[in-house]
Amino acid sequence: MSMSEHSIEDVTRVVDGVLRSRRSLRAYRPDAVPRAVLEDILDVASSAPSNSNTQPWRVHALAGAPKQALGAALLAAFRENTLPPSPHFPHPLPEEYAQRQRDFGAVYYRTLGIDVADMPARLRQTEKNFGFFGAPVGLIFTIDRRLAPHSWLDLGLLVQNVMIAASARGLGTCPQVSFARFHPVIAQHLAFTEHELTVCGMSLGYPEHDEPVNRMAMPRRGVREFACFDQFE
């Protein structure tokens, strides 16, 4: 049906429901995701806008043995700890953002039953990133390193579309910037082109709804905390 066959209220309710129900999920059922479903998600996600229609994104999809092999290579690299830290946050992180990061960590580890001071337990949880949290599908998002920051915004719009399209189909996702640090490992493993750069990974699969970590809700700032209406007459 077209949008004209539905009331605006119905469409708004559905879209808002999908947006508000999306979570970064970290526990998945082992059920395979059909390739046709994944292709459908990526196809609709590719409607994301991009500057001058440059579409500066590339997605590598992994499942089965190839996903396990990459996960094993990433875990080994993480344990070796020879690669430099990923610069996705500045050091020091400005206090406003650092406080929200600390708040996330407190809620996250409390939900998992892990004491924040228990570094071995935290390390074991971190390592689950590299197995895509047990999800049957792993995605690696890349961009041409020659492009400017605004093209990274375009890629971010695609990533968001993937998450929303997956959620609308009963699937869960978790975007993972932790993969960026291991670009050399991923590039070699997936035979990247010279200019291809890892931006993030993503776990995708059918969620384990009974797992507390998947019911974790993070607080969001209110509209009037981040939006200014002084010039809105």
Side-chain angles (χ1 to χ4, degrees):
M1 293 184 180
S2 66
M3 186 176 295
S4 61
E5 296 176 272
H6 296 278
S7 70
I8 293 297
E9 291 79 7
D10 288 341
V11 173
T12 299
R13 185 164 50 251
V14 171
V15 173
D16 286 2
V18 173
L19 288 169
R20 292 189 185 279
S21 64
R22 188 212 62 81
R23 297 281 186 275
S24 293
L25 304 183
R26 295 174 174 86
Y28 296 86
R29 305 202 313 261
D31 311 55
V33 176
R35 175 171 171 167
V37 172
L38 180 59
E39 288 190 5
D40 186 45
I41 289 170
L42 295 175
D43 179 56
V44 70
S46 70
S47 64
S50 61
N51 190 3
S52 302
N53 197 36
T54 46
Q55 303 177 60
W57 45 69
R58 188 167 175 80
V59 186
H60 297 262
L62 300 96
K67 181 182 73 73
Q68 293 174 358
L70 176 61
L74 291 169
L75 181 59
F78 176 73
R79 289 176 174 174
E80 290 168 3
N81 196 30
T82 58
L83 292 171
S86 175
H88 57 267
F89 280 140
H91 182 75
L93 186 62
E95 180 56 27
E96 175 187 357
Y97 312 109
Q99 183 58 56
R100 286 201 283 270
Q101 185 185 53
R102 289 192 292 269
D103 293 344
F104 164 80
V107 173
Y108 180 48
Y109 291 117
R110 184 170 63 247
T111 301
L112 291 165
I114 296 174
D115 190 298
V116 174
D118 188 347
M119 296 308 296
R122 290 177 58 176
L123 187 64
R124 289 192 295 273
Q125 180 62 28
T126 297
E127 289 184 345
K128 293 181 180 180
N129 273 278
F130 308 113
F132 295 93
F133 293 109
V137 174
L139 302 176
I140 301 293
F141 295 85
T142 68
I143 198 167
D144 190 318
R145 67 173 73 240
R146 296 169 295 182
L147 295 174
H150 286 89
S151 291
W152 285 60
L153 169 62
D154 298 338
L155 172 61
L157 296 171
L158 174 84
V159 172
Q160 175 77 350
N161 271 8
V162 170
M163 292 188 288
I164 297 305
S167 184
R169 290 161 174 78
L171 290 155
T173 57
C174 183
Q176 295 160 264
V177 74
S178 55
F179 286 84
R181 179 189 179 194
F182 301 97
H183 169 74
V185 176
I186 297 170
Q188 182 178 24
H189 203 87
L190 300 182
F192 282 1
T193 60
E194 176 187 1
H195 300 295
E196 200 168 357
L197 179 66
T198 303
V199 175
C200 68
M202 183 183 290
S203 300
L204 185 150
Y206 296 100
E208 281 282 13
H209 292 293
D210 293 336
E211 288 290 334
V213 72
N214 283 348
R215 299 197 301 272
M216 182 179 69
M218 299 306 301
R220 303 292 183 182
R221 291 185 293 159
V223 171
R224 296 195 180 184
E225 292 183 72
F226 65 81
C228 177
F229 293 93
D230 290 350
Q231 305 300 313
F232 192 86
E233 295 183 354

